[in-house]
Coordinates of all heavy atoms in Angstrom, one line a residue:
K408 N -0.5 21.8 -7.8 CA -1.8 21.2 -7.5 C -1.6 19.8 -6.8 O -0.8 19.0 -7.2 CB -2.5 21.0 -8.8 CG -4.0 20.6 -8.6 CD -4.7 20.6 -9.9 CE -6.1 20.2 -9.7 NZ -6.9 20.2 -10.9
L409 N -2.3 19.6 -5.7 CA -2.1 18.4 -4.9 C -3.0 17.3 -5.6 O -4.2 17.5 -5.7 CB -2.5 18.6 -3.5 CG -2.4 17.5 -2.5 CD1 -0.9 17.1 -2.5 CD2 -2.9 17.8 -1.2
H410 N -2.4 16.2 -5.9 CA -3.1 15.1 -6.5 C -3.1 13.9 -5.6 O -2.1 13.7 -4.9 CB -2.4 14.8 -7.9 CG -3.3 13.9 -8.8 ND1 -3.3 12.5 -8.7 CD2 -4.1 14.2 -9.7 CE1 -4.1 12.1 -9.5 NE2 -4.6 13.1 -10.2
P411 N -4.2 13.1 -5.5 CA -4.2 12.0 -4.6 C -3.1 11.0 -4.8 O -2.6 10.3 -3.9 CB -5.6 11.4 -4.8 CG -6.4 12.5 -5.4 CD -5.5 13.4 -6.2
R412 N -2.6 10.8 -6.1 CA -1.6 9.9 -6.4 C -0.3 10.3 -5.7 O 0.6 9.5 -5.4 CB -1.4 9.7 -7.9 CG -2.2 8.7 -8.5 CD -1.7 8.4 -9.9 NE -1.6 9.7 -10.6 CZ -1.4 9.8 -11.9 NH1 -1.4 8.7 -12.6 NH2 -1.3 11.0 -12.5
L413 N -0.1 11.6 -5.5 CA 1.1 12.1 -4.9 C 1.2 11.7 -3.5 O 2.3 11.4 -3.0 CB 1.1 13.7 -5.0 CG 2.3 14.4 -4.5 CD1 3.5 14.0 -5.4 CD2 2.1 15.9 -4.5
L414 N 0.1 11.5 -2.8 CA 0.1 11.0 -1.4 C 0.6 9.5 -1.3 O 1.1 9.1 -0.3 CB -1.2 11.1 -0.8 CG -1.8 12.6 -0.7 CD1 -3.2 12.6 -0.1 CD2 -0.9 13.4 0.2
C415 N 0.4 8.7 -2.3 CA 0.7 7.3 -2.3 C 2.1 7.0 -3.0 O 2.5 5.9 -3.1 CB -0.3 6.5 -3.0 SG -1.9 6.6 -2.2
K416 N 2.8 8.1 -3.4 CA 4.1 7.9 -4.0 C 5.1 7.4 -3.0 O 5.2 7.9 -1.9 CB 4.5 9.3 -4.5 CG 5.8 9.2 -5.3 CD 6.2 10.6 -5.8 CE 7.6 10.7 -6.2 NZ 8.0 12.0 -6.6
L417 N 5.8 6.3 -3.4 CA 6.8 5.7 -2.5 C 8.2 6.2 -2.7 O 9.1 6.1 -1.8 CB 6.8 4.2 -2.6 CG 5.5 3.5 -2.1 CD1 5.6 2.0 -2.3 CD2 5.3 3.9 -0.6
G418 N 8.5 6.7 -3.9 CA 9.9 7.2 -4.1 C 10.2 8.5 -3.3 O 9.5 9.5 -3.3
G419 N 11.2 8.4 -2.5 CA 11.6 9.6 -1.6 C 10.7 9.6 -0.4 O 10.8 10.6 0.4
S420 N 10.0 8.6 -0.1 CA 9.1 8.6 1.1 C 9.8 7.9 2.2 O 10.6 7.1 2.1 CB 7.8 7.9 0.7 OG 7.0 7.9 1.9
V421 N 9.4 8.3 3.4 CA 9.9 7.6 4.6 C 9.1 6.4 5.0 O 9.6 5.5 5.8 CB 9.9 8.6 5.8 CG1 8.5 8.9 6.3 CG2 10.7 8.2 6.9
F422 N 8.0 6.1 4.4 CA 7.1 5.0 4.7 C 7.7 3.6 4.5 O 7.6 2.7 5.3 CB 5.7 5.1 4.0 CG 4.9 6.2 4.6 CD1 4.5 7.3 3.9 CD2 4.5 6.2 6.0 CE1 3.8 8.3 4.4 CE2 3.8 7.2 6.5 CZ 3.4 8.3 5.7
P423 N 8.4 3.4 3.4 CA 9.0 2.1 3.2 C 10.0 1.7 4.3 O 10.0 0.6 4.8 CB 9.7 2.1 1.8 CG 9.0 3.2 1.1 CD 8.6 4.2 2.1
F424 N 10.8 2.6 4.7 CA 11.8 2.3 5.8 C 11.0 2.1 7.1 O 11.3 1.2 7.9 CB 12.8 3.5 6.0 CG 13.7 3.3 7.1 CD1 14.7 2.3 7.0 CD2 13.6 4.0 8.2 CE1 15.6 2.1 8.1 CE2 14.5 3.8 9.3 CZ 15.5 2.9 9.2
A425 N 10.0 3.0 7.4 CA 9.2 2.9 8.6 C 8.5 1.5 8.7 O 8.5 0.9 9.7 CB 8.2 4.0 8.7
F426 N 8.0 1.1 7.6 CA 7.3 -0.2 7.6 C 8.3 -1.4 7.7 O 8.0 -2.4 8.3 CB 6.5 -0.4 6.3 CG 5.2 0.4 6.2 CD1 4.9 1.1 5.0 CD2 4.5 0.6 7.3 CE1 3.7 1.8 5.0 CE2 3.3 1.4 7.3 CZ 3.0 2.0 6.1
A427 N 9.5 -1.2 7.2 CA 10.5 -2.2 7.3 C 10.9 -2.4 8.8 O 11.3 -3.5 9.2 CB 11.7 -1.9 6.4
V428 N 10.9 -1.3 9.5 CA 11.3 -1.4 10.9 C 10.1 -1.8 11.8 O 10.3 -2.7 12.7 CB 11.8 0.0 11.4 CG1 12.0 0.0 12.9 CG2 13.1 0.3 10.7
A429 N 9.0 -1.2 11.5 CA 7.8 -1.5 12.4 C 7.1 -2.8 12.1 O 6.5 -3.4 13.0 CB 6.8 -0.4 12.3
G430 N 7.2 -3.3 10.8 CA 6.5 -4.5 10.4 C 6.9 -5.7 11.2 O 6.1 -6.4 11.8
P431 N 8.2 -6.1 11.3 CA 8.6 -7.2 12.1 C 8.3 -7.1 13.6 O 7.9 -8.1 14.2 CB 10.2 -7.3 11.9 CG 10.4 -6.6 10.6 CD 9.4 -5.5 10.5
C432 N 8.4 -5.9 14.1 CA 8.0 -5.7 15.5 C 6.5 -5.9 15.8 O 6.2 -6.6 16.8 CB 8.4 -4.2 15.9 SG 10.1 -3.9 15.9
A433 N 5.7 -5.5 14.8 CA 4.3 -5.7 14.9 C 4.0 -7.2 14.8 O 3.1 -7.8 15.6 CB 3.5 -4.9 13.9
I434 N 4.6 -7.9 13.9 CA 4.4 -9.3 13.7 C 4.8 -10.1 15.0 O 4.1 -11.0 15.5 CB 5.1 -9.9 12.5 CG1 4.5 -9.3 11.2 CG2 5.2 -11.4 12.5 CD1 5.2 -9.5 10.0
L435 N 6.0 -9.7 15.6 CA 6.4 -10.3 16.8 C 5.4 -10.1 18.0 O 5.1 -11.0 18.7 CB 7.8 -9.8 17.2 CG 8.4 -10.4 18.4 CD1 8.7 -11.9 18.3 CD2 9.7 -9.7 18.8
A436 N 4.9 -8.9 18.1 CA 4.0 -8.6 19.1 C 2.7 -9.4 19.0 O 2.2 -9.9 20.0 CB 3.7 -7.1 19.1
V437 N 2.2 -9.5 17.8 CA 1.0 -10.3 17.5 C 1.2 -11.7 17.8 O 0.4 -12.4 18.5 CB 0.5 -10.1 16.1 CG1 -0.6 -11.1 15.7 CG2 -0.1 -8.7 15.9
G438 N 2.4 -12.2 17.4 CA 2.7 -13.6 17.7 C 2.8 -13.9 19.2 O 2.3 -14.9 19.7
I439 N 3.5 -13.0 20.0 CA 3.5 -13.2 21.4 C 2.2 -13.1 22.0 O 1.8 -13.9 22.9 CB 4.5 -12.2 22.0 CG1 5.9 -12.5 21.6 CG2 4.4 -12.2 23.6 CD1 6.9 -11.4 22.0
K440 N 1.3 -12.2 21.6 CA 0.0 -12.1 22.1 C -0.8 -13.4 21.8 O -1.5 -13.9 22.7 CB -0.7 -10.9 21.5 CG -2.1 -10.7 21.9 CD -2.2 -10.3 23.4 CE -3.6 -10.0 23.8 NZ -3.7 -9.8 25.2
L441 N -0.7 -13.9 20.6 CA -1.5 -15.1 20.3 C -0.9 -16.3 21.1 O -1.7 -17.1 21.6 CB -1.4 -15.4 18.8 CG -2.2 -14.4 17.9 CD1 -1.9 -14.7 16.5 CD2 -3.6 -14.5 18.2
L442 N 0.4 -16.4 21.2 CA 0.9 -17.5 22.0 C 0.5 -17.4 23.5 O 0.2 -18.4 24.1 CB 2.5 -17.5 22.0 CG 3.1 -18.1 20.7 CD1 4.6 -17.9 20.7 CD2 2.8 -19.6 20.6
S443 N 0.5 -16.2 24.0 CA 0.1 -16.1 25.4 C -1.4 -16.3 25.6 O -1.8 -16.8 26.7 CB 0.5 -14.7 26.0 OG -0.4 -13.7 25.4
R444 N -2.2 -16.0 24.6 CA -3.6 -16.2 24.8 C -4.0 -17.7 24.7 O -4.8 -18.2 25.4 CB -4.3 -15.5 23.7 CG -5.8 -15.7 23.7 CD -6.6 -14.7 22.9 NE -6.4 -13.4 23.5 CZ -7.2 -12.4 23.3 NH1 -8.1 -12.5 22.4 NH2 -7.0 -11.3 23.9
Y445 N -3.3 -18.4 23.8 CA -3.7 -19.8 23.6 C -2.8 -20.8 24.3 O -3.3 -21.9 24.5 CB -3.6 -20.2 22.1 CG -4.7 -19.4 21.3 CD1 -4.3 -18.5 20.3 CD2 -6.0 -19.5 21.5 CE1 -5.2 -17.7 19.6 CE2 -7.0 -18.8 20.8 CZ -6.5 -17.9 19.9 OH -7.5 -17.2 19.2
H446 N -1.6 -20.4 24.8 CA -0.8 -21.4 25.5 C -0.4 -20.9 26.8 O 0.3 -21.6 27.5 CB 0.5 -21.6 24.6 CG 0.2 -22.3 23.3 ND1 -0.3 -23.6 23.2 CD2 0.3 -21.8 22.1 CE1 -0.4 -23.9 21.9 NE2 -0.1 -22.8 21.2
G447 N -0.7 -19.7 27.2 CA -0.3 -19.2 28.5 C -1.4 -19.3 29.6 O -2.5 -19.3 29.3
S448 N -0.9 -19.4 30.8 CA -1.8 -19.4 31.9 C -1.1 -18.6 33.0 O 0.0 -18.2 32.9 CB -2.2 -20.8 32.4 OG -1.1 -21.4 32.9
D449 N -1.8 -18.4 34.2 CA -1.2 -17.6 35.2 C 0.0 -18.3 35.8 O 1.0 -17.6 36.2 CB -2.2 -17.4 36.3 CG -3.3 -16.5 35.9 OD1 -3.1 -15.7 35.0 OD2 -4.4 -16.5 36.5
D450 N 0.1 -19.6 35.9 CA 1.2 -20.3 36.5 C 2.2 -20.8 35.5 O 3.2 -21.5 35.8 CB 0.7 -21.4 37.3 CG -0.2 -20.9 38.5 OD1 0.1 -19.8 39.0 OD2 -1.1 -21.6 38.8
D451 N 2.0 -20.5 34.2 CA 2.8 -21.0 33.2 C 4.2 -20.3 33.1 O 4.3 -19.1 33.4 CB 2.1 -20.8 31.8 CG 2.7 -21.7 30.7 OD1 3.9 -21.4 30.4 OD2 2.0 -22.6 30.3
E452 N 5.3 -21.0 32.8 CA 6.6 -20.4 32.7 C 6.6 -19.5 31.5 O 7.4 -18.5 31.5 CB 7.6 -21.5 32.5 CG 9.0 -20.9 32.5 CD 10.1 -22.0 32.5 OE1 9.8 -23.1 33.0 OE2 11.2 -21.7 32.1
F453 N 5.9 -19.7 30.4 CA 5.8 -18.8 29.3 C 5.3 -17.4 29.8 O 5.9 -16.4 29.3 CB 4.9 -19.4 28.2 CG 4.7 -18.5 27.1 CD1 5.6 -18.4 26.0 CD2 3.6 -17.6 27.0 CE1 5.4 -17.6 25.0 CE2 3.4 -16.7 26.0 CZ 4.4 -16.7 24.9
T454 N 4.4 -17.4 30.6 CA 3.8 -16.1 31.1 C 4.9 -15.4 31.9 O 5.1 -14.2 31.7 CB 2.6 -16.4 32.0 OG1 1.7 -17.2 31.2 CG2 1.9 -15.1 32.4
R455 N 5.6 -16.1 32.7 CA 6.7 -15.4 33.5 C 7.8 -15.0 32.6 O 8.5 -14.0 32.8 CB 7.1 -16.3 34.6 CG 6.1 -16.5 35.8 CD 6.8 -17.2 37.0 NE 7.3 -18.5 36.6 CZ 6.6 -19.6 36.6 NH1 5.3 -19.6 36.9 NH2 7.1 -20.8 36.3
L456 N 8.2 -15.8 31.6 CA 9.3 -15.5 30.8 C 9.1 -14.2 30.0 O 10.0 -13.4 29.9 CB 9.5 -16.7 29.8 CG 10.6 -16.5 28.7 CD1 11.9 -16.5 29.4 CD2 10.5 -17.6 27.7
W457 N 7.9 -14.0 29.5 CA 7.6 -12.8 28.7 C 7.2 -11.6 29.6 O 6.8 -10.5 29.0 CB 6.6 -13.1 27.6 CG 7.2 -13.9 26.5 CD1 7.1 -15.2 26.4 CD2 8.1 -13.5 25.5 NE1 7.8 -15.7 25.3 CE2 8.4 -14.6 24.7 CE3 8.6 -12.2 25.1 CZ2 9.3 -14.5 23.6 CZ3 9.4 -12.2 24.0 CH2 9.8 -13.3 23.3
G458 N 7.1 -11.8 30.9 CA 6.7 -10.7 31.7 C 5.2 -10.4 31.7 O 4.8 -9.2 31.9
L459 N 4.4 -11.4 31.4 CA 2.9 -11.2 31.4 C 2.3 -11.7 32.6 O 2.7 -12.6 33.2 CB 2.4 -12.0 30.2 CG 2.9 -11.6 28.8 CD1 2.4 -12.6 27.8 CD2 2.6 -10.2 28.4
Q460 N 1.2 -11.0 33.0 CA 0.5 -11.4 34.2 C -1.0 -11.7 33.7 O -1.6 -10.8 33.1 CB 0.5 -10.4 35.3 CG 1.8 -10.2 35.9 CD 1.8 -9.1 36.9 OE1 0.9 -8.3 37.0 NE2 2.9 -9.0 37.7
G461 N -1.5 -12.8 33.9 CA -2.8 -13.1 33.5 C -3.0 -13.2 32.0 O -4.1 -13.2 31.5
G462 N -1.9 -13.3 31.3 CA -2.0 -13.4 29.9 C -2.3 -12.1 29.1 O -2.1 -12.1 27.9
D463 N -2.7 -11.1 29.8 CA -3.0 -9.8 29.1 C -2.3 -8.6 29.6 O -2.2 -7.6 28.9 CB -4.5 -9.6 29.2 CG -5.3 -10.5 28.3 OD1 -4.7 -11.0 27.3 OD2 -6.5 -10.7 28.6
Q464 N -1.8 -8.6 30.8 CA -1.3 -7.4 31.4 C 0.3 -7.4 31.3 O 0.9 -8.4 31.7 CB -1.7 -7.2 32.8 CG -3.2 -7.0 32.9 CD -3.7 -7.0 34.4 OE1 -2.9 -7.1 35.2 NE2 -4.9 -6.7 34.6
V465 N 0.8 -6.3 30.9 CA 2.3 -6.2 30.9 C 2.7 -5.7 32.3 O 2.1 -4.9 33.0 CB 2.7 -5.1 29.9 CG1 4.2 -4.9 29.9 CG2 2.2 -5.5 28.5
V466 N 3.8 -6.3 32.8 CA 4.4 -5.9 34.1 C 4.6 -4.4 34.1 O 5.1 -3.8 33.2 CB 5.7 -6.7 34.4 CG1 6.3 -6.2 35.7 CG2 5.4 -8.1 34.4
G467 N 4.2 -3.7 35.2 CA 4.3 -2.3 35.3 C 5.7 -1.7 35.1 O 5.8 -0.6 34.6
A468 N 6.7 -2.4 35.6 CA 8.1 -1.8 35.5 C 8.5 -1.7 34.0 O 9.1 -0.7 33.6 CB 9.0 -2.7 36.3
A469 N 8.2 -2.7 33.2 CA 8.6 -2.7 31.8 C 7.8 -1.6 31.1 O 8.4 -0.8 30.3 CB 8.4 -4.0 31.2
F470 N 6.6 -1.5 31.3 CA 5.7 -0.5 30.7 C 6.2 0.9 31.1 O 6.3 1.8 30.3 CB 4.3 -0.7 31.0 CG 3.3 0.2 30.4 CD1 3.1 0.2 29.1 CD2 2.8 1.3 31.1 CE1 2.2 1.0 28.4 CE2 1.9 2.2 30.5 CZ 1.6 2.1 29.2
S471 N 6.5 1.1 32.4 CA 6.9 2.4 32.9 C 8.2 2.8 32.3 O 8.4 3.9 31.9 CB 7.0 2.3 34.4 OG 7.6 3.5 34.9
S472 N 9.2 1.9 32.2 CA 10.5 2.2 31.6 C 10.4 2.6 30.1 O 11.0 3.5 29.6 CB 11.5 1.1 31.8 OG 11.1 -0.1 31.2
V473 N 9.6 1.8 29.4 CA 9.4 2.1 27.9 C 8.7 3.4 27.8 O 9.0 4.2 26.9 CB 8.7 0.9 27.2 CG1 8.3 1.3 25.8 CG2 9.5 -0.3 27.2
S474 N 7.7 3.7 28.6 CA 7.0 4.9 28.5 C 7.9 6.1 28.9 O 7.8 7.2 28.2 CB 5.8 4.9 29.5 OG 4.9 3.9 29.1
S475 N 8.7 6.0 29.9 CA 9.6 7.0 30.2 C 10.6 7.3 29.1 O 10.9 8.5 28.8 CB 10.4 6.7 31.5 OG 9.5 6.5 32.6
L476 N 11.2 6.3 28.5 CA 12.1 6.4 27.4 C 11.4 7.1 26.2 O 12.0 8.0 25.6 CB 12.7 5.1 27.0 CG 13.7 5.1 25.8 CD1 14.9 5.9 26.2 CD2 14.0 3.7 25.5
L477 N 10.2 6.7 25.9 CA 9.5 7.3 24.8 C 9.2 8.7 25.0 O 9.3 9.6 24.2 CB 8.2 6.5 24.5 CG 7.4 6.9 23.3 CD1 8.2 6.7 22.0 CD2 6.1 6.1 23.2
G478 N 8.8 9.0 26.3 CA 8.5 10.4 26.6 C 9.7 11.3 26.5 O 9.7 12.4 26.0
F479 N 10.9 10.8 27.0 CA 12.1 11.5 26.9 C 12.5 11.8 25.4 O 12.9 12.9 25.1 CB 13.2 10.8 27.6 CG 14.6 11.4 27.4 CD1 14.9 12.5 28.1 CD2 15.5 10.8 26.5 CE1 16.2 13.1 27.9 CE2 16.8 11.4 26.4 CZ 17.1 12.6 27.1
L480 N 12.4 10.7 24.6 CA 12.7 10.9 23.2 C 11.8 11.9 22.5 O 12.3 12.7 21.7 CB 12.7 9.6 22.5 CG 13.8 8.6 22.8 CD1 13.5 7.2 22.1 CD2 15.1 9.1 22.4
I481 N 10.5 11.9 22.8 CA 9.6 12.8 22.2 C 9.9 14.3 22.6 O 10.0 15.2 21.8 CB 8.2 12.5 22.5 CG1 7.8 11.2 21.8 CG2 7.2 13.6 22.2 CD1 6.4 10.7 22.2
V482 N 10.2 14.5 23.9 CA 10.5 15.8 24.4 C 11.9 16.3 23.8 O 12.0 17.4 23.3 CB 10.6 15.8 25.9 CG1 11.2 17.1 26.4 CG2 9.2 15.6 26.5
F483 N 12.9 15.4 23.7 CA 14.1 15.8 23.1 C 14.0 16.1 21.6 O 14.5 17.2 21.2 CB 15.1 14.6 23.3 CG 16.5 14.9 22.7 CD1 17.4 15.7 23.3 CD2 16.9 14.3 21.5 CE1 18.6 16.0 22.8 CE2 18.1 14.5 21.0 CZ 19.0 15.4 21.6
R484 N 13.3 15.3 20.9 CA 13.2 15.6 19.4 C 12.4 16.9 19.2 O 12.7 17.7 18.3 CB 12.5 14.4 18.7 CG 13.2 13.1 18.7 CD 14.3 13.1 17.7 NE 13.9 13.4 16.4 CZ 13.7 12.5 15.4 NH1 13.9 11.3 15.6 NH2 13.3 12.9 14.2
T485 N 11.3 17.1 20.0 CA 10.5 18.3 19.9 C 11.4 19.5 20.2 O 11.3 20.6 19.5 CB 9.3 18.3 20.8 OG1 8.6 17.1 20.5 CG2 8.4 19.5 20.6
S486 N 12.2 19.5 21.2 CA 13.1 20.6 21.6 C 14.1 20.9 20.5 O 14.3 22.0 20.2 CB 13.8 20.2 22.9 OG 14.8 21.2 23.2
Q487 N 14.7 19.8 19.9 CA 15.6 20.0 18.8 C 14.9 20.7 17.6 O 15.4 21.6 17.0 CB 16.2 18.7 18.4 CG 17.1 18.1 19.4 CD 18.4 18.8 19.4 OE1 18.8 19.5 18.5 NE2 19.1 18.7 20.5
A488 N 13.7 20.2 17.3 CA 13.0 20.8 16.2 C 12.6 22.3 16.4 O 12.7 23.1 15.5 CB 11.7 20.0 15.9
Y489 N 12.2 22.6 17.7 CA 11.9 23.9 18.0 C 13.1 24.9 17.9 O 13.0 26.0 17.4 CB 11.3 24.0 19.4 CG 10.8 25.3 19.9 CD1 9.6 25.8 19.4 CD2 11.5 26.1 20.8 CE1 9.1 27.0 19.8 CE2 11.0 27.3 21.3 CZ 9.8 27.7 20.8 OH 9.3 28.9 21.2
S490 N 14.3 24.4 18.4 CA 15.5 25.3 18.3 C 15.9 25.4 16.8 O 16.3 26.5 16.5 CB 16.6 24.7 19.1 OG 17.0 23.4 18.6
R491 N 15.8 24.4 16.0 CA 16.1 24.5 14.6 C 15.2 25.5 13.9 O 15.6 26.3 13.0 CB 16.1 23.2 13.9 CG 17.2 22.3 14.3 CD 17.1 21.0 13.6 NE 18.2 20.1 14.1 CZ 18.2 18.8 13.9 NH1 17.2 18.2 13.3 NH2 19.2 18.1 14.3
F492 N 13.9 25.5 14.3 CA 12.9 26.4 13.7 C 13.3 27.8 14.0 O 13.3 28.7 13.1 CB 11.5 26.1 14.2 CG 10.5 27.1 13.8 CD1 10.0 27.2 12.5 CD2 10.1 28.0 14.7 CE1 9.1 28.1 12.2 CE2 9.1 29.0 14.4 CZ 8.6 29.0 13.1
W493 N 13.6 28.1 15.2 CA 13.9 29.5 15.6 C 15.3 29.9 15.0 O 15.5 31.1 14.7 CB 13.9 29.7 17.1 CG 12.5 29.8 17.5 CD1 11.7 29.0 18.3 CD2 11.6 30.9 17.2 NE1 10.5 29.4 18.4 CE2 10.3 30.6 17.7 CE3 11.7 32.1 16.4 CZ2 9.2 31.4 17.6 CZ3 10.6 32.9 16.3 CH2 9.4 32.5 16.8
E494 N 16.2 29.0 14.9 CA 17.5 29.3 14.2 C 17.2 29.7 12.8 O 17.8 30.6 12.2 CB 18.4 28.1 14.3 CG 19.8 28.4 13.7 CD 20.7 27.2 13.8 OE1 20.4 26.2 14.5 OE2 21.8 27.3 13.2
G495 N 16.4 28.9 12.1 CA 16.0 29.3 10.7 C 15.3 30.6 10.6 O 15.6 31.4 9.6
C496 N 14.4 30.9 11.5 CA 13.8 32.2 11.5 C 14.7 33.3 11.7 O 14.7 34.4 11.0 CB 12.7 32.3 12.6 SG 11.2 31.3 12.2
S497 N 15.7 33.2 12.6 CA 16.6 34.3 12.8 C 17.6 34.4 11.6 O 17.9 35.6 11.3 CB 17.5 34.0 14.1 OG 18.2 32.9 14.0
T498 N 18.0 33.3 11.0 CA 18.8 33.4 9.8 C 18.0 34.1 8.7 O 18.6 34.9 7.9 CB 19.2 32.0 9.4 OG1 19.9 31.4 10.5 CG2 20.2 32.1 8.2
L499 N 16.7 33.8 8.5 CA 15.9 34.4 7.5 C 15.8 35.9 7.7 O 15.9 36.7 6.8 CB 14.5 33.8 7.5 CG 13.6 34.3 6.4 CD1 14.1 33.9 5.1 CD2 12.2 33.7 6.7
Y500 N 15.6 36.3 9.0 CA 15.6 37.8 9.3 C 16.9 38.5 9.0 O 17.0 39.6 8.5 CB 15.1 38.0 10.7 CG 13.6 37.8 10.9 CD1 13.1 36.9 11.8 CD2 12.7 38.6 10.2 CE1 11.8 36.7 11.9 CE2 11.4 38.5 10.3 CZ 10.9 37.5 11.2 OH 9.6 37.4 11.4
Q501 N 18.0 37.8 9.3 CA 19.3 38.3 9.0 C 19.5 38.5 7.5 O 20.0 39.5 7.0 CB 20.5 37.4 9.5 CG 20.8 37.6 10.9 CD 21.9 36.6 11.3 OE1 22.1 35.6 10.7 NE2 22.6 37.0 12.4
M502 N 19.1 37.5 6.7 CA 19.2 37.6 5.3 C 18.3 38.7 4.7 O 18.8 39.5 3.9 CB 18.7 36.3 4.7 CG 19.6 35.6 3.7 SD 19.2 34.0 3.2 CE 17.4 33.9 3.2
H503 N 17.2 38.9 5.3 CA 16.2 39.9 4.9 C 16.9 41.3 5.1 O 16.8 42.2 4.3 CB 14.9 39.8 5.6 CG 13.9 40.7 5.1 ND1 13.6 41.9 5.8 CD2 13.0 40.7 4.1 CE1 12.6 42.5 5.2 NE2 12.2 41.8 4.2
A504 N 17.5 41.4 6.3 CA 18.1 42.7 6.7 C 19.3 43.0 5.8 O 19.5 44.2 5.4 CB 18.5 42.7 8.1
E505 N 20.1 42.0 5.4 CA 21.2 42.3 4.6 C 20.8 42.6 3.2 O 21.4 43.5 2.5 CB 22.1 41.0 4.5 CG 22.9 40.8 5.8 CD 23.8 39.6 5.7 OE1 24.0 39.0 4.6 OE2 24.3 39.2 6.8
W506 N 19.7 42.0 2.7 CA 19.2 42.4 1.3 C 18.7 43.8 1.3 O 18.9 44.5 0.4 CB 18.1 41.4 0.9 CG 18.6 40.1 0.5 CD1 19.8 39.7 0.3 CD2 17.8 38.9 0.3 NE1 19.9 38.4 0.0 CE2 18.6 37.8 0.0 CE3 16.4 38.7 0.4 CZ2 18.2 36.6 -0.3 CZ3 15.9 37.4 0.1 CH2 16.8 36.4 -0.2
L507 N 17.9 44.2 2.3 CA 17.4 45.5 2.4 C 18.5 46.6 2.6 O 18.4 47.7 2.1 CB 16.3 45.7 3.4 CG 15.0 44.9 3.1 CD1 14.0 45.1 4.3 CD2 14.4 45.4 1.8
G508 N 19.5 46.2 3.4 CA 20.6 47.1 3.7 C 21.5 47.3 2.5 O 22.2 48.3 2.3
G509 N 21.6 46.3 1.6 CA 22.4 46.3 0.4 C 21.8 47.1 -0.7 O 22.5 47.5 -1.7
S510 N 20.5 47.4 -0.7 CA 19.9 48.0 -1.8 C 19.8 49.5 -1.7 O 20.3 50.3 -1.1 CB 18.5 47.5 -2.0 OG 17.7 47.8 -0.9

């Protein structure tokens, strides 16, 4: 039976590690955004240093490269999962055939 407390269980969960990795990145991103908003201008060295234009827009090359890398990783991981799934299915059918053949 599925209980709501089971969804919030942290033991054996991937969420504590994911938050440990994503938390500092999110805090850094918010800090940079706040700094650029309150201390950055179009001609400011801070804006050029972090690759920002107008305080809000990310330079296209950086965004494009990160998007391409992320797309490649998603496709690669999905392909790996798909091949593992079909390998498991074929192993299951082999097991089933051996059980029925042995009886």
Side-chain angles (χ1 to χ4, degrees):
K408 187 173 181 180
L409 186 62
H410 196 273
R412 271 191 312 193
L413 185 64
L414 296 176
C415 298
K416 182 179 169 187
L417 291 180
S420 177
V421 72
F422 288 118
F424 178 72
F426 288 140
V428 171
C432 295
I434 291 170
L435 181 65
V437 168
I439 291 172
K440 179 67 176 176
L441 291 175
L442 282 173
S443 70
R444 178 165 292 197
Y445 295 116
H446 296 291
S448 67
D449 290 337
D450 298 327
D451 196 294
E452 186 171 335
F453 176 84
T454 306
R455 288 190 302 274
L456 176 68
W457 288 99
L459 301 172
Q460 293 176 347
D463 286 335
Q464 297 176 353
V465 178
V466 174
F470 181 74
S471 174
S472 62
V473 170
S474 297
S475 299
L476 178 65
L477 184 62
F479 174 75
L480 289 175
I481 289 173
V482 168
F483 179 75
R484 296 281 307 254
T485 304
S486 173
Q487 290 289 337
Y489 186 73
S490 66
R491 287 179 184 164
F492 170 76
W493 281 112
E494 182 181 351
C496 286
S497 63
T498 305
L499 183 65
Y500 282 121
Q501 278 181 335
M502 233 173 26
H503 186 265
E505 288 180 12
W506 286 347
L507 290 179
S510 59

